[in-house]
Amino acid sequence: MIRRFLLATIALASGADFTVGTATAPSGRKATGFIQVAAGSDAATNVPVIVVNGSKPGPVLALVSGSHGTEYASILAVEKLAQVADPASISGTVILVPLVNVASFQEKVPHLNPVDRKNMNRFYPGKPDGTQTDRVSYAITKQVVEKCDYLLDYHGGDLDENLRKYAYWPDTGNAKLGAAARSVVLAFGLDHIIIQNMKSPVPPGGPITLTRHALSLGKVALAVEAGHAGTTNAEDIDALVNGTLSVMRELKMLPGEAHRVEHPLWLGRIATVSSDQDGIFYPRVVPEAYVTQGQIIGHITNYFGEKIRDVASPVTGVVAYIGAVPSMKKGDTVANIAEIAQDPQP
Ligand SMILES: [Zn+2]
């Protein structure tokens, strides 16, 4: 009897099927599958995808995480959203791609895709005949970015990064996109928002992130970050899950009111401190700390334990990120210090 009732319910659903990769969800249903990326100059890969096709019409929201496969809190957040998303209560469609960089996750390699040693959030829109990162980026462009109206890209502190939760507001110079992204980022609810300058074009061959490419296609796209150094704290995962559900309320994809952040701290220019030597790093400040220009934020010793360098903050601002592990090689980022900015659209 129960089975017959379910079949009757499906037959009543009137909306169209929604397909991403091998996942096809009829209206009012959830489907899982893979975005299949064939072998080329290197190995094939299957990127998992979940499609939640709401029973009522509405926008298409894409949730993408795991381009850095060891930023675990962000991956677990999208996995949890895939479980809690109920097509019966959703207006519109949610495409969830929880793990773009499967090889990074499996091999526990931070920052890069170990198959071709490329950063999987730098090569959009990708190409069908490049290495695996290029081919995956191309498939995500075609299957996810081009099919969505809104896109959230989830990150966090990687295995070697100690980071505070924050979101980005992309400043593209396009007033309409800016206003739409502002309502999304405020609804997400994180109280630190970095203003990301996307007005100047990327030079030929320069890095193009997922959100930058999506914005160039007129999609409302932004990145959020929580978690650090391999941890999977409930507080970080919940911040990403609840922020996403609040955005869905803001977009009228779920009933209820969004929980907008009232007075976020807006952060502007980011000063990156890099190490000019190999050595061992000892941080002296934590993420979110306010530091002044010239303040010592850590030091580096040689492999004999002798201090070879104090690391000073080049600006007054907030520690957005600081090295989480002692390994420090020449050229590595020691810290990012974000300068406090004014609300860009008060
Ligand atoms: Zn990342």
Side-chain angles (χ1 to χ4, degrees), residues 281-332:
F281 177 58
Y282 294 84
R284 279 197 216 164
V285 295
V286 292
E288 201 180 352
Y290 282 77
V291 295
T292 53
Q293 186 177 30
Q295 183 178 334
I296 303 303
I297 58 173
H299 70 268
I300 297 170
T301 73
N302 59 22
Y303 298 139
F304 310 112
E306 299 157 349
K307 186 157 98 174
I308 51 175
R309 185 177 179 233
D310 273 324
V311 182
S313 177
V315 296
T316 295
V318 173
V319 177
Y321 146 82
I322 188 159
V325 296
S327 309
M328 186 59 66
K329 75 176 191 303
K330 187 177 175 178
D332 280 355

Side-chain angles (χ1 to χ4, degrees), residues 85-281:
D86 173 15
S89 61
I90 289 175
S91 302
T93 302
V94 189
I95 306 169
L96 302 100
V97 184
L99 184 54
V100 171
N101 191 345
V102 178
S104 157
F105 181 85
Q106 290 179 336
E107 306 291 332
K108 297 178 271 295
V109 172
H111 308 298
L112 303 174
N113 177 355
V115 173
D116 57 12
R117 305 291 296 169
K118 288 179 177 172
N119 184 325
M120 290 196 87
N121 193 27
R122 296 291 184 276
F123 292 91
Y124 282 91
K127 48 188 180 183
D129 57 352
T131 63
Q132 191 186 83
T133 293
D134 302 307
R135 301 196 307 279
V136 170
S137 302
Y138 183 77
I140 287 174
T141 293
K142 291 288 163 194
Q143 296 276 341
V144 179
V145 180
E146 292 182 3
K147 290 179 182 177
C148 77
D149 305 303
Y150 296 86
L151 184 144
L152 297 174
D153 187 20
Y154 299 75
H155 290 265
D158 215 322
L159 286 182
D160 55 349
E161 297 173 345
N162 199 358
L163 174 144
R164 192 215 189 275
K165 291 190 281 289
Y166 50 78
Y168 293 92
W169 176 72
D171 185 8
T172 60
N174 175 325
K176 197 167 157 238
L177 265 185
R182 180 186 173 92
S183 70
V184 169
V185 77
L186 294 180
F188 202 93
L190 298 182
D191 62 1
H192 282 44
I193 302 175
I194 295 176
I195 302 163
Q196 204 170 19
N197 182 0
M198 293 208 178
K199 283 187 284 201
S200 25
V202 175
I208 299 179
T209 61
L210 174 60
T211 54
R212 185 184 278 270
H213 181 60
L215 287 157
S216 77
L217 299 180
K219 317 294 186 180
V220 179
L222 57 88
V224 293
E225 306 221 15
H228 65 279
T231 56
T232 57
N233 295 330
E235 183 203 347
D236 291 320
I237 296 169
D238 289 350
L240 296 175
V241 169
N242 293 335
T244 307
L245 296 174
S246 179
V247 166
M248 290 175 69
R249 293 185 191 104
E250 177 74 19
L251 301 177
K252 309 284 180 228
M253 298 178 75
L254 284 177
E257 281 292 306
H259 295 288
R260 294 182 198 89
V261 57
E262 294 277 344
H263 300 290
L265 182 66
W266 294 91
L267 300 166
R269 218 162 52 86
I270 305 270
T272 296
V273 188
S274 305
S275 178
D276 54 6
Q277 318 209 34
D278 292 344
I280 299 173
F281 177 58

Side-chain angles (χ1 to χ4, degrees), residues 67-68 71 155-156:
S67 62
H68 303 134
E71 293 173 355
H155 290 265

Side-chain angles (χ1 to χ4, degrees), residues 2-133:
I2 289 168
R3 183 168 173 79
R4 202 182 303 164
F5 174 74
L6 281 174
L7 288 170
T9 307
I10 296 163
L12 285 172
S14 56
D17 290 357
F18 198 103
T19 297
V20 179
T22 64
T24 294
S27 178
R29 304 285 286 182
K30 195 185 287 197
T32 62
F34 293 95
I35 298 170
Q36 296 176 315
V37 177
S41 57
D42 49 22
T45 184
N46 279 329
V47 178
V49 62
I50 303 103
V51 177
V52 185
N53 192 356
S55 49
K56 297 174 279 277
V60 178
L61 170 66
L63 313 177
V64 181
S65 63
S67 62
H68 303 134
T70 47
E71 293 173 355
Y72 296 120
S74 60
I75 296 163
L76 296 199
V78 177
E79 298 282 352
K80 190 167 176 181
L81 284 160
Q83 292 304 303
V84 301
D86 173 15
S89 61
I90 289 175
S91 302
T93 302
V94 189
I95 306 169
L96 302 100
V97 184
L99 184 54
V100 171
N101 191 345
V102 178
S104 157
F105 181 85
Q106 290 179 336
E107 306 291 332
K108 297 178 271 295
V109 172
H111 308 298
L112 303 174
N113 177 355
V115 173
D116 57 12
R117 305 291 296 169
K118 288 179 177 172
N119 184 325
M120 290 196 87
N121 193 27
R122 296 291 184 276
F123 292 91
Y124 282 91
K127 48 188 180 183
D129 57 352
T131 63
Q132 191 186 83
T133 293

